[in-house]
Amino acid sequence: QVKNFIQKLRVEEFFALIFFIPIAIAILKESIEKGFFHSGWGSWVFIITLLWFFYEVPKNSPTSFSRTFLPVFLCLTIYSNSFKLIQLFEIPDFDHFLLQIDQILFKIQPSVWLERVNFPLLTDYLTVTYFLYYFYPLVLGLIFYFKKEWTVLRKYMLTIVICFYIGYLGYVLFPAIGPRLFVPEQYTQELKSHKFSQELREFLDKLQPTKRDCFPSLHNAVTLLVLVFGFKYHRKFFWGFLPFALGLFLGTLYLRYHYAIDLLLGWLLG
């Protein structure tokens, strides 16, 4: 039965299981120390996804909506528990190193330089495009699904998920909190924006299960992949999506979430 189950695994599901082993150890350790109910919402996501995983895989349906989009929750599970892995292996932050790389490459901190274009409407626009990142890959995936473009959808999902996995590995091996939290004193002014976009950024801060998710920038890597697949297979989607993608690329620096080297490595990963 175990052999039969393993044979039914897709590539992204197999690699998810590799991540799940240390995550389970980290959750168990935290549950012993604090109690399961105090171990964060990532632990609940892990349990639910694990149950879904062992229910869905044995059915082995190639066009099942549930099976097709299971990787979304595999990624969410790994991301929401990545900080537990950093704690488990006691890995130090790499912000100082990333900050130095930016200084060497640009002779200035790019996010500080962008203070000179600190305008409310621009901040609002970039905040919205950054926030909508979580929906970009899903929208194109749903287009492929409902158009029954199974071969393209399979290639798309595998590419996106493997990109996420590599990025999560970077989060764990090179944890960093980003310039807005690591060196807030370097900024001479707060971001100017209207109330709704400020509330969006505050919501993201509350939603974020880990603050150490900078290197590489998956916002840039995944958005670039969505652009590439959109350009190749759905040109109308590509042109409609392009302003959001460009806003996100600039927003990662302008909103002070990332170092420039995060963006460069994100694009390289994509």
Side-chain angles (χ1 to χ4, degrees):
Q1 283 187 338
V2 174
K3 183 180 179 181
N4 186 42
F5 179 83
I6 292 175
Q7 289 175 340
K8 291 178 180 179
L9 288 174
R10 295 174 178 176
V11 175
E12 64 272 27
E13 294 166 348
F14 174 77
F15 282 107
L17 279 182
I18 295 176
F19 271 101
F20 277 18
I21 293 170
I23 287 174
I25 295 171
I27 290 176
L28 178 62
K29 180 176 180 290
E30 193 171 18
S31 297
I32 293 172
E33 293 172 352
K34 301 179 181 179
F36 179 80
F37 292 100
H38 298 284
S39 61
W41 64 269
S43 301
W44 288 103
V45 174
F46 176 77
I47 297 297
I48 293 169
T49 303
L50 206 60
L51 292 173
W52 182 5
F53 183 89
F54 285 106
Y55 169 77
E56 193 63 43
V57 170
K59 294 193 295 183
N60 203 28
S61 173
T63 60
S64 161
F65 183 88
S66 179
R67 178 77 180 274
T68 300
F69 289 93
L70 173 61
V72 174
F73 287 86
L74 297 178
C75 289
L76 179 61
T77 301
I78 296 169
Y79 173 66
S80 62
N81 289 285
S82 60
F83 184 56
K84 291 182 174 66
L85 296 181
I86 295 170
Q87 290 178 315
L88 179 67
F89 296 111
E90 299 180 346
I91 302 172
D93 288 346
F94 278 76
D95 284 272
H96 185 69
F97 178 67
L98 299 175
L99 196 73
Q100 283 186 322
I101 292 178
D102 271 12
Q103 196 67 38
I104 292 170
L105 291 176
F106 304 101
K107 310 302 179 184
I108 192 175
Q109 292 303 310
S111 60
V112 174
W113 184 88
L114 285 169
E115 279 190 312
R116 63 192 66 191
V117 289
N118 185 9
F119 303 116
L121 286 178
L122 179 60
T123 307
D124 294 344
Y125 166 62
L126 298 181
T127 297
V128 170
T129 58
Y130 189 89
F131 175 80
L132 291 176
Y133 154 76
Y134 301 98
F135 301 98
Y136 297 152
L138 276 176
V139 170
L140 185 56
L142 288 170
I143 291 173
F144 290 142
Y145 182 85
F146 288 113
K147 285 183 173 290
K148 298 183 178 180
E149 297 172 327
W150 307 123
T151 303
V152 177
L153 176 61
R154 182 77 194 107
K155 184 191 300 183
Y156 173 73
M157 290 298 290
L158 182 60
T159 304
I160 293 288
V161 172
I162 294 301
C163 178
F164 270 118
Y165 289 171
I166 296 172
Y168 294 153
L169 192 61
Y171 289 175
V172 174
L173 295 178
F174 306 100
I177 57 177
R180 70 191 180 101
L181 298 177
F182 183 62
V183 281
E185 67 279 359
Q186 72 179 343
Y187 301 104
T188 60
Q189 52 185 299
E190 295 291 330
L191 288 172
K192 299 173 184 176
S193 68
H194 294 96
K195 187 177 180 181
F196 83 93
S197 65
Q198 181 182 343
E199 290 177 346
L200 268 184
R201 293 192 300 277
E202 289 172 355
F203 175 72
L204 281 175
D205 286 342
K206 291 176 183 177
L207 190 67
Q208 200 175 20
T210 173
K211 303 295 183 187
R212 287 157 176 81
D213 54 356
C214 288
F215 184 82
S217 170
L218 279 175
H219 279 74
N220 285 269
V222 171
T223 300
L224 180 62
L225 285 175
V226 175
L227 271 178
V228 170
F229 273 86
F231 183 82
K232 187 172 182 179
Y233 297 105
H234 285 285
R235 200 63 59 87
K236 288 183 179 179
F237 169 86
F238 169 82
W239 290 115
F241 174 57
L242 185 60
F244 294 90
L246 294 177
L248 180 143
F249 292 153
L250 177 59
T252 50
L253 277 180
Y254 177 95
L255 298 172
R256 307 166 182 176
Y257 287 117
H258 285 278
Y259 304 101
I261 188 62
D262 303 338
L263 274 67
L264 297 176
L265 264 293
W267 284 329
L268 182 63
L269 173 59

